[in-house]
Amino acid sequence: MAPVLLYGPHQGYPPLRRELAQWLSEVYSPPTGATTMDRICITNGASGNLANVLIKFTDPSYTRRIFMVEPTYFLACPIFEDCGFLGKLRGVPETVQDGVDIDFLRRELENAELDARNACLRSGQKDEPAAKCGPCYPHVYKYVIYLVPTYSNPSGKTVSVAMRKQLVLLAREFDALLITDDVYDFLSWQEDTESAHDAVAKPPPRLVDIDRSLPGGSVHGNCVSNGSFSKLIGPGVRVGWAEGTPAFVSQLAEVGSSSSGGAPSHLASTFVEHMLRTQWLQHYIRDILVPTYKERYCALMTAIADRLIPLGYAMEAKILSGTADETSGVAGGFFTYLRLPLGLPFAKVVAAIALKDHALRIAFGHMFTVAGDHGSVARAEADGGFAYCVRLCWAWHEADEIQEGVLRLAAVTKDVRARVERGEDVAAGISIGIR
Ligand SMILES: Cc1ncc(COP(=O)(O)O)c(C=O)c1O
C-alpha cells in the first residue's frame, strides 16, 4: 500500500495512465493510432485542471483573450478570472448548423491581434510574456478558446467534425490553445434501439485527436482534452485526466502544486485504476449509466412533447447539430435547451416565479452569459437570444420526478402568460442570482 499513500508521480499513477490510454483508444479509435500513456496526465477533475492549464500555459500580461463558446459553462468563468483574466473573457456564439460562429471568432482574433500590436508599438514593449518566462514556461499561448464540443453544458449541442477541423486550424494560425471539456463524451446513445446493450453510441472525434492527425502540428499542440470521472463515477471522486501532446502534458505535470504535493487525487486515482482494469467501469457505463440516462432522456423528451411544445416551447437545438448523417438518431450528455414561447419575458423572470410560486428550480439563459462581456449579454437579450431559453437536465431525477417537473413548468408558463396578458409587470421585484 505504501506507493499509493506516498506522493504520486507528477504526471499521475502510471497504471491508471496506462489503463486510460487503452480505454480512450477503444472509445475514440483515434485515426492516427492508439492513445499512448505519454499523452496523459492525471488531474483532480476538469475544473482543477483548467486552472492548472492556465497557470502553466497562459500569462495575463501576454495572453490577450479567453474566448468562450456561448451559452457557456458558466462555472468556468471564475476559474479564468482567478487566473488573472478578469475583463478578458469574450463570448463566441454557437450556431445551429455547425456549432460555432467561426467567422465571428476569426474577426475577434484579428481585432485582438491588431490591438496587441498597436499596444506594443505605443508602449515600446516587446510582445512577450512578462510574468511566465524562462524554462518553466516553454510555451505561453496568445489565446485560449474554451468549449464543450460534445453535448454541451448548457445547450446540448455537438460541434460538427468539419467545424472541429476549422477550429484546430484557426487555433494554429493564431497561437491559441483550445481547451475542450470532453466530460460528456461517454454518455451517448442511439435513440432508436430498444436494447440497453447496443444503445451506447460512439462519440465524435475529439479536437485533440484532430490536432494530432492534421499535418503541421506543433510540439505543444493547440488542444488539450479535459476529461473527468465526475459524470461517470461521481464528482466526489475528483479524478480526471488531461490529454495533449507528450510535451504539453509533461509540462502540465510540473505545475507547482504537483511538484510539491505530487499528482492530485493520487489515492483516489488508484481506485479508479482498479475500476478500469477490472472492466467494472466499462460495464457500469454500458449496462447501468447509459440505459438509465437514456430512459430519463426519453421521459423528458416525451413530457416536453406532450406538455411544453403545445404551449409554444421549441427545442432550441437538436441534441446534436452538424451534418444530418453524422449525427442523426444519437443523443447524450445531461442537458437540453428549450426556447420559451413567444411573448414570455426573459427566462430568468420565469425561473424566479417558478422557484417562488411553484417550488421548481430551472437554469435560465442569463446564467450562461460570459462574465464581464457586455456583448455576450446583449446577444443573449436580443430577439431570439439565449436569455429566452431554459436548460433542463435529465440526469439527476427519476422519470416520475422529471414528468412532475415538466408539469410544473407548464403550470408556471400558463401562470406567467396570464400575468403578462393582464398587463402585470412580471419582472418587477424579481431578483435571482445569476451565478
Ligand atoms: C462542461 C463541464 N466542465 C466541467 C465540469 C466539472 O467537472 P469536474 O467535476 O471534473 O471538475 C462540469 C460539471 O458540471 C461541466 O459540465
Coordinates of all heavy atoms in Angstrom, one line a residue, residues 46-48 50-52 54-55 66 68 72-89 146 181 367-372 434-435:
A46 N -11.9 18.1 -14.2 CA -11.8 19.1 -15.2 C -11.6 20.6 -14.7 O -10.9 21.4 -15.2 CB -13.1 19.1 -16.1
S47 N -12.3 20.9 -13.5 CA -12.2 22.2 -13.0 C -10.8 22.6 -12.5 O -10.2 23.6 -12.9 CB -13.2 22.4 -11.8 OG -14.4 21.9 -12.2
G48 N -10.2 21.7 -11.7 CA -8.9 21.9 -11.2 C -7.9 21.9 -12.3 O -6.9 22.7 -12.3
L50 N -8.4 22.8 -15.4 CA -8.5 24.1 -16.2 C -7.6 25.1 -15.5 O -6.8 25.8 -16.2 CB -9.9 24.5 -16.2 CG -10.2 25.9 -16.9 CD1 -9.7 25.9 -18.3 CD2 -11.7 26.2 -16.9
A51 N -7.6 25.2 -14.2 CA -6.8 26.2 -13.5 C -5.3 25.9 -13.8 O -4.5 26.8 -14.0 CB -7.1 26.2 -12.0
N52 N -4.9 24.6 -13.7 CA -3.5 24.2 -13.9 C -3.0 24.5 -15.3 O -1.9 25.0 -15.5 CB -3.3 22.7 -13.6 CG -3.3 22.5 -12.1 OD1 -3.2 23.4 -11.3 ND2 -3.3 21.2 -11.7
L54 N -4.1 26.9 -17.2 CA -4.0 28.4 -17.3 C -2.7 28.8 -16.6 O -2.0 29.7 -17.0 CB -5.2 29.1 -16.7 CG -6.5 28.8 -17.4 CD1 -7.7 29.4 -16.6 CD2 -6.5 29.3 -18.8
I55 N -2.4 28.2 -15.4 CA -1.2 28.6 -14.7 C 0.1 28.3 -15.5 O 1.0 29.1 -15.5 CB -1.2 27.8 -13.3 CG1 -2.2 28.3 -12.4 CG2 0.2 27.9 -12.7 CD1 -2.4 27.5 -11.1
I66 N -9.6 35.3 -23.6 CA -10.2 34.0 -23.4 C -11.5 34.0 -24.2 O -12.4 34.8 -23.8 CB -10.5 33.7 -21.9 CG1 -9.2 33.9 -21.0 CG2 -11.0 32.3 -21.8 CD1 -8.1 33.0 -21.2
M68 N -14.9 32.1 -25.1 CA -15.8 31.0 -24.6 C -17.0 30.9 -25.5 O -17.7 31.9 -25.7 CB -16.2 31.3 -23.1 CG -15.1 31.6 -22.2 SD -15.6 32.0 -20.5 CE -16.0 30.4 -19.9
T72 N -22.4 29.6 -22.3 CA -21.2 28.9 -21.8 C -21.4 28.1 -20.5 O -22.3 28.4 -19.8 CB -20.0 29.9 -21.7 OG1 -18.8 29.2 -21.6 CG2 -20.1 30.7 -20.4
Y73 N -20.5 27.2 -20.2 CA -20.5 26.6 -18.9 C -20.0 27.6 -17.9 O -18.8 27.9 -17.8 CB -19.5 25.3 -18.9 CG -19.3 24.8 -17.5 CD1 -20.4 24.3 -16.8 CD2 -18.1 24.6 -17.0 CE1 -20.2 23.8 -15.5 CE2 -17.9 24.1 -15.7 CZ -18.9 23.7 -15.0 OH -18.8 23.2 -13.7
F74 N -20.9 28.2 -17.2 CA -20.7 29.5 -16.5 C -19.7 29.3 -15.4 O -18.9 30.3 -15.0 CB -22.0 30.1 -16.0 CG -22.7 29.2 -15.0 CD1 -22.7 29.6 -13.6 CD2 -23.4 28.1 -15.4 CE1 -23.4 28.8 -12.7 CE2 -24.1 27.3 -14.5 CZ -24.1 27.7 -13.1
L75 N -19.5 28.1 -14.8 CA -18.6 28.0 -13.7 C -17.1 28.0 -14.1 O -16.2 28.0 -13.3 CB -18.9 26.7 -12.9 CG -20.3 26.8 -12.2 CD1 -20.7 25.4 -11.5 CD2 -20.3 27.9 -11.1
A76 N -16.9 27.9 -15.4 CA -15.5 28.1 -15.9 C -15.1 29.6 -15.8 O -13.9 29.8 -15.7 CB -15.4 27.6 -17.4
C77 N -16.1 30.5 -15.8 CA -15.7 31.9 -15.8 C -14.9 32.3 -14.6 O -13.8 32.9 -14.7 CB -16.9 32.8 -15.9 SG -17.9 32.6 -17.4
P78 N -15.3 31.9 -13.4 CA -14.4 32.3 -12.2 C -13.1 31.7 -12.2 O -12.1 32.2 -11.7 CB -15.2 31.9 -11.0 CG -16.3 31.0 -11.5 CD -16.6 31.4 -12.9
I79 N -12.9 30.5 -12.9 CA -11.6 29.9 -12.9 C -10.7 30.8 -13.8 O -9.5 31.1 -13.5 CB -11.7 28.5 -13.5 CG1 -12.7 27.6 -12.7 CG2 -10.3 27.8 -13.6 CD1 -12.9 26.2 -13.2
F80 N -11.2 31.2 -14.9 CA -10.4 32.1 -15.8 C -10.1 33.4 -15.0 O -9.0 34.0 -15.1 CB -11.2 32.5 -17.1 CG -11.2 31.3 -18.0 CD1 -12.4 30.7 -18.4 CD2 -10.1 30.8 -18.6 CE1 -12.5 29.7 -19.3 CE2 -10.1 29.7 -19.5 CZ -11.3 29.2 -19.8
E81 N -11.1 34.0 -14.3 CA -10.9 35.2 -13.6 C -9.9 35.1 -12.5 O -9.0 35.9 -12.3 CB -12.3 35.7 -13.1 CG -13.2 36.1 -14.2 CD -14.5 36.6 -13.8 OE1 -15.0 36.3 -12.6 OE2 -15.2 37.4 -14.5
D82 N -10.0 34.0 -11.8 CA -9.0 33.7 -10.7 C -7.5 33.7 -11.3 O -6.6 34.0 -10.6 CB -9.2 32.4 -10.0 CG -10.3 32.4 -9.0 OD1 -10.8 33.5 -8.8 OD2 -10.7 31.4 -8.5
C83 N -7.4 33.3 -12.5 CA -6.1 33.1 -13.1 C -5.7 34.4 -13.8 O -4.7 34.4 -14.6 CB -6.1 31.9 -14.1 SG -6.2 30.4 -13.2
G84 N -6.3 35.5 -13.5 CA -5.9 36.8 -14.0 C -6.6 37.4 -15.2 O -6.1 38.4 -15.8
F85 N -7.7 36.7 -15.6 CA -8.3 37.2 -16.9 C -9.6 37.9 -16.7 O -10.4 38.0 -17.6 CB -8.5 35.9 -17.8 CG -7.2 35.4 -18.3 CD1 -6.6 34.2 -17.7 CD2 -6.5 36.1 -19.3 CE1 -5.4 33.8 -18.2 CE2 -5.2 35.6 -19.7 CZ -4.7 34.4 -19.2
L86 N -9.8 38.5 -15.5 CA -11.0 39.4 -15.3 C -11.1 40.4 -16.4 O -10.1 41.1 -16.6 CB -10.8 40.1 -13.9 CG -12.0 40.7 -13.3 CD1 -13.0 39.7 -12.7 CD2 -11.6 41.7 -12.3
G87 N -12.2 40.5 -17.0 CA -12.4 41.5 -18.1 C -11.9 41.1 -19.4 O -12.0 41.8 -20.4
K88 N -11.2 39.9 -19.5 CA -10.7 39.5 -20.8 C -11.4 38.3 -21.4 O -11.0 37.7 -22.3 CB -9.2 39.1 -20.6 CG -8.3 40.3 -20.4 CD -6.9 39.8 -20.5 CE -5.9 41.0 -20.4 NZ -4.5 40.5 -20.5
L89 N -12.6 38.0 -20.8 CA -13.4 36.9 -21.3 C -14.3 37.4 -22.4 O -14.9 38.5 -22.3 CB -14.2 36.2 -20.2 CG -13.6 35.9 -18.9 CD1 -14.5 35.0 -18.1 CD2 -12.3 35.1 -19.1
Y146 N -12.3 28.2 -25.3 CA -12.8 27.2 -24.4 C -14.2 26.8 -24.9 O -15.0 27.6 -25.2 CB -13.0 27.8 -22.9 CG -13.8 26.9 -22.0 CD1 -13.2 25.8 -21.3 CD2 -15.2 27.1 -21.9 CE1 -14.0 25.0 -20.5 CE2 -16.0 26.3 -21.1 CZ -15.4 25.3 -20.4 OH -16.1 24.5 -19.6
D181 N -13.7 20.7 -22.7 CA -14.2 19.9 -21.6 C -14.9 18.7 -22.2 O -16.1 18.9 -22.7 CB -15.1 20.7 -20.6 CG -14.3 21.5 -19.6 OD1 -13.1 21.4 -19.6 OD2 -15.0 22.2 -18.8
M367 N -27.7 32.9 -16.9 CA -26.6 32.3 -16.2 C -25.4 31.9 -17.1 O -24.3 31.8 -16.7 CB -27.1 30.9 -15.6 CG -28.0 31.1 -14.4 SD -28.8 29.5 -14.0 CE -27.5 28.5 -13.5
F368 N -25.7 31.7 -18.4 CA -24.7 31.2 -19.3 C -24.1 32.2 -20.2 O -23.4 31.9 -21.2 CB -25.4 30.1 -20.2 CG -26.1 29.1 -19.3 CD1 -27.5 28.9 -19.4 CD2 -25.4 28.3 -18.4 CE1 -28.2 28.0 -18.6 CE2 -26.1 27.4 -17.6 CZ -27.5 27.2 -17.7
T369 N -24.3 33.5 -19.8 CA -23.5 34.6 -20.5 C -22.1 34.5 -20.0 O -21.8 34.0 -18.9 CB -24.1 36.0 -20.2 OG1 -24.2 36.1 -18.8 CG2 -25.5 36.1 -20.8
V370 N -21.2 35.1 -20.8 CA -19.8 35.1 -20.5 C -19.5 36.3 -19.5 O -19.8 37.4 -19.9 CB -18.9 35.2 -21.8 CG1 -17.4 35.4 -21.5 CG2 -19.1 33.9 -22.6
A371 N -18.9 36.0 -18.4 CA -18.7 37.0 -17.3 C -17.9 38.2 -17.8 O -16.9 38.0 -18.5 CB -18.0 36.4 -16.1
G372 N -18.5 39.4 -17.6 CA -17.8 40.6 -17.9 C -17.8 41.0 -19.4 O -17.2 42.0 -19.8
I434 N -27.4 35.3 -10.6 CA -27.0 34.8 -11.9 C -26.0 33.7 -11.7 O -26.0 32.7 -12.4 CB -26.5 35.9 -12.9 CG1 -27.7 36.7 -13.3 CG2 -25.8 35.3 -14.1 CD1 -27.4 37.7 -14.4
R435 N -25.1 33.9 -10.8 CA -24.0 32.9 -10.6 C -24.0 32.4 -9.2 O -24.5 33.0 -8.3 CB -22.7 33.6 -10.9 CG -22.6 34.1 -12.3 CD -21.3 34.3 -12.9 NE -21.4 35.1 -14.1 CZ -21.6 34.6 -15.3 NH1 -21.6 33.3 -15.4 NH2 -21.7 35.3 -16.4

